[in-house]
Amino acid sequence: MLLIPAIDLKDGHCVRLKQGDMEQATVFSEDPAEMALHWLKQGARRLHLVDLNGAFAGKPKNEAAVKSILKVVAAFAEENGVEEIPVQLGGGIRDLDTIERYLDDGLSYIIIGTAAVKNPGFLHDACSAFPGQIIVGLDAKDGKVATDGWSKLSGHEVIDLARKFEGYGCESIVYTDIGRDGMMGGVNIEATVRLAQAVSIPIIASGGVHNIGDVEALCRVEDEGIEAVICGRSIYEGTLDLRSGQDRADELTQALEAERDAGGK
């Protein structure tokens, strides 16, 4: 189980929102690249970036901040002899040219959310043009997918869309429970497991992580196909320590694997 720190970008700053509300933004850093370095030093093995302004505008708005983060990540990886530290980005990505530009800049994965729901043909083209590098972001409330920075609720069921997009060849799915995002009320384990069981591609859980208990709960259902969890407000406010959380996740994963191996003999 991988713990992925989130760096949400708004007006060039690192912020966290509550339930996707841009009016409820808490600024945690004026320097997103410095924040990225902080999480790397805390043992992060992957980073999750969101262009919040871009999500609402429908086009990239924080490219300068993204580039500065990528430079820091590349330098850190080189200094520490790490081959690659993947960085994924979502928010306002609506065309293939933008995807190509971002990947050329050094991003490992592009997350397509609203555009996937509104224009499935674009997602299909993106998966074909950039195999293994496209992640679908499905943000839902009460099982229904939301779009446009969570401002609009569609009539689409999460599982129906997930199965459809899996057939397009997307790498994985980031599943966010909007009602829990930024509220630190606990991950919606039941809904996340239900989605993971419905598809064969990996699920990245998001929304509601509060403490080590949430990490442990996710580790117990990792076998269902949940490979990672995105951590936001919890690691910024200190209810979850990233390094010790990842250590605990590694420990539990190893213990569960040993248990399975012993049971199979």
Side-chain angles (χ1 to χ4, degrees), residues 196-238:
Q197 290 173 336
V199 296
S200 59
I201 56 176
I203 300 298
I204 300 172
S206 174
V209 173
H210 178 53
N211 55 30
I212 196 69
D214 292 308
V215 174
E216 292 173 340
L218 283 166
C219 286
R220 286 192 284 271
V221 294
E222 187 174 2
D223 272 2
E224 301 290 353
I226 303 167
E227 70 171 11
V229 57
I230 293 168
C231 305
R233 189 171 287 270
S234 58
I235 57 174
Y236 284 92
E237 295 193 351

Side-chain angles (χ1 to χ4, degrees), residues 24-35:
Q24 294 193 65
T26 303
V27 177
F28 283 103
S29 175
E30 301 286 339
D31 187 346
E34 188 62 35
M35 184 57 70

Side-chain angles (χ1 to χ4, degrees), residues 49-62 89-94 98 102 110-114:
L49 312 184
V50 181
D51 182 346
L52 292 171
N53 302 104
F56 283 90
K59 57 184 177 182
K61 289 290 187 179
N62 283 283
L89 169 73
I93 298 166
R94 305 283 194 271
T98 299
Y102 269 137
I110 296 296
I111 303 168
I112 301 176
T114 293

Side-chain angles (χ1 to χ4, degrees), residues 33-53:
E34 188 62 35
M35 184 57 70
L37 182 59
H38 169 75
W39 296 129
L40 293 174
K41 289 179 177 178
Q42 292 298 309
R45 300 171 192 166
R46 186 164 170 172
L47 295 177
H48 175 80
L49 312 184
V50 181
D51 182 346
L52 292 171
N53 302 104

